Every structure is written in structure tokens, then in C-alpha cells.
Amino acid sequence: MTKLRERKNIRKAVLESLYGAVEHNRPEVSGSVLRAELDLPDEDLSAACVYLADEGLIHVDWTSHRTPAAVSLTHVGVRLMEELEEEQEEEREEEREEEREQQEDRERAERSQSGD
């Protein structure tokens, strides 16, 4: 049985892969491509897809063996990924601003020391 952290990481990887496909104008990804790209066993990919589909984030066409034949993000899934992308960009901008402020503080400290 896959641990909780691993299951979350697999679900995140599935969403990120599908979002990347959408960004490249591939709204649907075959299950075999997704499985190969993420290097996942059928059971783990299927479990992630069931969970994400139940959450309304993806749509899955299933094979007769209950493995994903084709997977796509729903509108809700796209919106979630866009929100996450925006949050990450805001965090990066805050980090850059903090680094600039620290650099300015160091420069001020150096100027005050050299002025003594």
C-alpha cells in the first residue's frame, strides 16, 4: 500500500502533467503516455485518477481493465492549477523582494562601516 505522502505526490504529479499538456494544446492525455511519463504502476495511476475524478478535477475514460485510457483536466482542475501557479509566482516575487531588501540592507551596512 502506498503511503499518504506518496499518494499526494502522485496526484500532484498527475495534475501537473495534465496541466502541462493543456499548456501545449493537448487537452487529453492517453493513460499509457501518462503512466510512462510518470513511471507509475497501473494501480497507483488508477488510484490517483479515481481520487482526482471524484474531486471533479479530471475526467477519465476507463479501459475494461479499470485503467485510464484517456485523462483530461476539467474546468475545475484547470482553475485549480492556475490558482496554484499564481500563488507560486506571488511567492517567488515575495522572495525576490525580500532578497532585494536584504541586499540593500547589506549595502547600507557596508557604506556605514566604510564611512566610519
Side-chain angles (χ1 to χ4, degrees), residues 79-116:
R79 294 288 307 269
L80 172 70
M81 296 307 293
E82 288 173 344
E83 287 174 19
L84 292 174
E85 185 177 17
E86 288 171 351
E87 286 174 12
Q88 290 172 347
E89 182 56 38
E90 287 172 9
E91 288 173 6
R92 285 191 291 271
E93 183 57 38
E94 287 172 7
E95 289 172 2
R96 286 190 289 267
E97 181 62 30
E98 188 174 310
E99 288 173 6
R100 282 191 290 271
E101 289 173 2
Q102 290 173 352
Q103 180 63 30
E104 289 171 2
D105 290 346
R106 284 191 294 273
E107 290 171 357
R108 273 194 292 277
E110 288 174 6
R111 283 193 300 268
S112 69
Q113 287 178 351
S114 64
D116 288 340

Side-chain angles (χ1 to χ4, degrees), residues 29-38 42 45 68-70:
V29 177
S30 77
S32 59
V33 167
L34 193 57
R35 188 180 324 39
E37 181 180 317
L38 301 176
D42 284 337
L45 180 59

Side-chain angles (χ1 to χ4, degrees), residues 13-35 37-38 70-74 78:
V14 169
L15 288 172
E16 288 173 345
S17 178
L18 293 173
Y19 187 59
V22 167
E23 289 180 327
H24 291 95
N25 294 321
R26 292 184 306 141
E28 187 173 87
V29 177
S30 77
S32 59
V33 167
L34 193 57
R35 188 180 324 39
E37 181 180 317
L38 301 176
V71 187
S72 58
L73 282 176
T74 63
V78 171

Side-chain angles (χ1 to χ4, degrees), residues 57-85:
L57 300 173
I58 66 172
H59 173 78
V60 184
D61 293 326
W62 297 97
T63 68
S64 59
H65 298 29
R66 295 295 299 158
T67 59
V71 187
S72 58
L73 282 176
T74 63
H75 178 72
V76 173
V78 171
R79 294 288 307 269
L80 172 70
M81 296 307 293
E82 288 173 344
E83 287 174 19
L84 292 174
E85 185 177 17

